[in-house]
Amino acid sequence: MRYIRPFTAPAGRTLAIGLAVLACSFAASQSEAQAAGGKPNILLIVSDDTGWGDLGPYLGGEARGMPTPHFDELAAEGMFFTNFYGQPSCTPGRAAMQTGRIPNRSGMTTVAFQGQGGGLPAAEWTLASVLKEAGYKTYFTGKWHLGESDYALPNAQGYDVMKHAFLYHLNAYTYADPAWHRNMSKELREMFVKVTTGSLSGLAGETAKEDFKVLGDADTPEDGKVGIKYLDGYVQDTAYEFLEDAAKDPDTPFFINVNFMKNHQPNLPHPDFVGSSISNSDYADSVVELDTRIGNVLQKLEDLGLADNTLVVYTVDNGAWQDVYPDSGYTPFRSTKGTVREGGSRVPAIVRWPGKVSPGTRSDAIVGGLDLMATFASAAGIDLPTEDREGQPIVFDSYDMTPVLTGSGESERKDWFFFTEDELTPGAVRVGNFKYVFNLRGDDGAQTGGLAVDTNLGWKGAESYIATVPQVFDLLADPQERYDIFMTTFTESTWAMVPANEAVKKKMQSYIKYPPRKLQSETYSGPITLTRYQRFKYVRDALEKDGISIGLPSGN
């Protein structure tokens, strides 16, 4: 039977006497290793679609009807971030974290359907493959969502051990289940049964084996089926196994990537957590379950005496999916997952690093999942590669967050670029406190400008690009992107475009030396016309010959 720690108030973690003695001896050895300049262990925990405003440090928790004592404690022991960015959806968000590159560079710009194959190109570096170069043992469990092909799986992408890896967004597992979507034809259901892969496990270099299908409403792995509500229990228990294995070899640093399936819809809490929230809703109960399981993993880290020399990072792949309310998270920012608005990409993030990060601190720096690559490499004492895994030149879009974490300085990052699935030029860019929005994806044709209000249509909203003059928002004064200051204030503000033009120009020029890879999954983006093909050829030739120049709008 799976052990689940009961939900309790955050009175601090306690240990049995025997475990305490063991933990002290482990902690002493780890502290000595750290003092001697040893590499820190790294534990990266990622949840899915969890809202910026759902967790206690972000004015959520009990105030949102879902107590999060373990998130509260983690923030009290480390640093939480207010301007941390993911990407607008799952696959690009996870690709950006794993590779340290904007998703269009790796071709991982959109969500792949089961049966499509493909995935993260073998030539890409990942957090695991880079840390392997620094002597780390690497482990993966939980949601992957970066492709189905053998070369794209975690155990082919630098992870020594992959256990209970899940390849899709959570609701994809309902397509093959006869209890869901009863209006689906028999033929279509049979197709989904055939192409939908369940839990996968395997060591590096091995062919992955399927543990069980994600089907039904029970925890019955002996019958080859486990229901959605039980999956995070397997992720938690696998994290325990990884930590126990790593503790047997304290001289070898480890990188463990734990990816919980919650809170992607459908949010089905484990039976032990039904009714555990104040709100008594599926979503709120699932947040309580997530909080408890993360607390359990951190307790295991402490019980094994590994906490003092472990850099712990928690974050989320993308913004809250408000389209699917009420089975979704909350964000105070504008719009939803699937758009380039703040609500689509701004996510919670908490970092604990004993002896490096001061407890109870907050950072307002512009940083994000892209920056984990440079930060982990810095912590491991290695430089990022200059060539990809096939020997071709490679560029990373990652900045070392260590100065921010340690309080020794500022991040070198001054901007953030926002992309939807098919964009080479960013749909929006943030430079300092200014946000420049070119693509009104999700507004569904609503009027723009001062006091513009959009609906939460996400992917359902048509792309609508602003010609010449973008929307510009001062995110410090207007974090909800409601007041467009560009050419709407009493003095003309066209000067505000200068930093954005320079940032976009620099990013576009980087594609000349480092061209994007082929898209690994593609949705229908309209007819391919002769004029579009001719324009592509012209733009390609122009970029190669002259680079790119973006002029200022003339205004009036």
Side-chain angles (χ1 to χ4, degrees):
M1 178 177 292
R2 182 162 294 102
Y3 172 69
I4 298 175
R5 188 178 305 279
F7 175 77
T8 56
R13 302 188 178 102
T14 59
L15 304 172
I17 294 176
L19 282 175
V21 173
L22 178 63
C24 287
S25 63
F26 267 102
S29 64
Q30 291 291 344
S31 296
E32 290 169 5
Q34 190 174 22
K39 298 178 174 67
N41 305 312
I42 300 173
L43 172 61
L44 171 61
I45 303 174
V46 181
S47 66
D48 201 2
D49 287 12
T50 307
W52 193 95
D54 291 336
L55 310 181
Y58 294 87
L59 302 182
E62 289 194 32
R64 288 269 299 125
M66 49 191 88
T68 58
H70 301 100
F71 280 115
D72 298 349
E73 187 172 2
L74 182 61
E77 294 170 345
M79 175 182 288
F80 79 96
F81 292 81
T82 62
N83 283 295
F84 197 97
Y85 287 98
Q87 300 291 324
S89 66
C90 302
T91 292
R94 291 167 190 276
M97 277 189 273
Q98 288 291 336
T99 66
R101 285 154 49 83
I102 55 177
N104 63 22
R105 295 199 194 277
S106 62
M108 303 299 293
T109 64
T110 190
V111 174
F113 225 67
Q114 59 257 58
Q116 286 186 327
L120 188 63
E124 289 289 329
W125 289 96
T126 64
L127 295 172
S129 56
V130 166
L131 289 172
K132 285 293 295 178
E133 298 292 305
Y136 278 67
K137 189 166 185 180
T138 55
Y139 307 80
F140 183 91
T141 184
K143 180 176 177 178
W144 179 242
H145 209 185
L146 295 176
E148 296 177 308
S149 294
D150 289 345
Y151 65 79
L153 299 180
N155 66 334
Q157 291 282 350
Y159 289 94
D160 295 318
V161 186
M162 169 185 81
K163 186 170 182 182
H164 297 311
F166 301 96
L167 304 187
Y168 319 112
H169 49 91
L170 190 57
N171 57 305
Y173 292 101
T174 68
Y175 304 155
D177 194 325
W180 295 79
H181 313 294
R182 288 180 293 173
N183 59 340
M184 184 185 293
S185 70
K186 177 183 176 182
E187 294 76 17
L188 185 58
R189 177 94 60 201
E190 289 175 348
M191 184 276 290
F192 279 120
V193 170
K194 183 178 179 180
V195 303
T196 303
T197 302
S199 168
L200 284 181
S201 297
L203 302 179
E206 292 183 349
T207 299
K209 299 291 194 303
E210 189 175 55
D211 309 304
F212 51 75
K213 294 289 187 184
V214 181
L215 283 172
D217 194 39
D219 186 5
T220 54
E222 64 277 6
D223 294 331
K225 296 188 295 184
V226 172
I228 287 173
K229 63 183 65 173
Y230 300 96
L231 298 184
D232 277 349
Y234 285 84
V235 175
Q236 171 190 273
D237 288 355
T238 301
Y240 291 170
E241 293 177 22
F242 288 170
L243 288 167
E244 289 168 353
D245 183 69
K248 295 173 184 176
D249 185 12
D251 294 328
T252 301
F254 64 77
F255 168 53
I256 300 178
N257 189 189
V258 179
N259 297 264
F260 288 103
M261 304 294 279
K262 289 181 173 61
N263 298 96
H264 198 289
Q265 61 93 21
N267 279 283
L268 302 176
H270 185 285
D272 289 359
F273 288 90
V274 173
S276 61
S277 67
I278 299 168
S279 296
N280 198 22
S281 68
D282 283 346
Y283 184 84
D285 289 350
S286 295
V287 170
V288 172
E289 179 181 350
L290 174 69
D291 175 79
T292 303
R293 294 198 186 283
I294 288 177
N296 290 346
V297 172
L298 295 178
Q299 180 68 60
K300 187 71 171 179
L301 185 75
E302 189 167 331
D303 290 349
L304 292 169
L306 300 170
D308 285 350
N309 191 35
T310 300
L311 164 59
V312 176
V313 177
Y314 164 76
T315 191
V316 184
D317 50 1
N318 50 252
W321 195 359
Q322 296 195 108
D323 288 354
V324 296
Y325 175 86
D327 195 27
S328 66
Y330 168 74
T331 176
F333 303 110
R334 184 172 177 175
S335 203
T336 181
K337 171 181 175 179
T339 72
V340 297
R341 297 294 191 187
E342 291 295 289
S345 295
R346 206 187 292 199
V347 297
I350 307 172
V351 176
R352 186 184 75 186
W353 194 359
K356 298 286 187 178
V357 174
S358 297
T361 51
R362 186 189 82 188
S363 173
D364 302 316
I366 302 171
V367 291
L370 281 168
D371 298 325
L372 298 180
M373 176 64 86
T375 305
F376 290 174
S378 174
I382 58 171
D383 295 326
L384 289 177
T386 57
E387 295 180 341
D388 68 17
R389 295 169 76 188
E390 294 179 350
Q392 299 302 308
I394 192 170
V395 64
F396 293 92
D397 303 286
S398 188
Y399 290 85
D400 182 10
M401 295 189 295
T402 303
V404 175
L405 297 176
T406 60
S408 62
E410 297 182 354
S411 170
E412 292 183 14
R413 178 181 292 285
K414 305 303 178 188
D415 49 40
W416 189 268
F417 297 90
F418 304 76
F419 298 88
T420 55
E421 292 90 339
D422 198 32
E423 292 178 323
L424 191 63
T425 304
V429 57
R430 177 177 180 177
V431 183
N433 57 306
F434 289 107
K435 171 85 172 281
Y436 309 83
V437 180
F438 300 93
N439 182 358
L440 303 183
R441 174 71 168 272
D443 284 21
D444 199 35
Q447 279 200 321
T448 59
L451 296 177
V453 178
D454 52 0
T455 56
N456 285 333
L457 287 182
W459 292 292
K460 291 180 289 185
E463 290 180 334
S464 177
Y465 288 91
I466 305 173
T468 306
V469 180
Q471 291 182 342
V472 180
F473 303 97
D474 182 345
L475 291 179
L476 297 188
D478 176 26
Q480 289 190 323
E481 299 171 89
R482 295 295 174 186
Y483 298 88
D484 179 3
I485 68 168
F486 197 33
M487 302 183 75
T488 60
T489 53
F490 67 92
T491 56
E492 186 179 328
S493 304
T494 51
W495 57 268
M497 273 300 295
V498 174
N501 283 346
E502 289 301 309
V504 173
K505 176 180 178 181
K506 183 178 179 181
K507 186 64 67 177
M508 293 296 290
Q509 286 178 325
S510 73
Y511 297 132
I512 299 171
K513 184 176 180 181
Y514 308 103
R517 302 191 194 277
K518 180 182 180 296
L519 291 182
Q520 298 300 300
S521 179
E522 189 173 2
T523 56
Y524 183 70
S525 55
I528 299 176
T529 63
L530 288 170
T531 51
R532 286 179 69 181
Y533 168 75
Q534 291 168 351
R535 182 184 179 199
F536 162 74
K537 188 174 186 307
Y538 167 79
V539 170
R540 184 185 64 182
D541 293 345
L543 280 173
E544 185 174 350
K545 180 180 178 182
D546 301 318
I548 184 170
S549 177
I550 302 175
L552 285 171
S554 59
N556 55 5

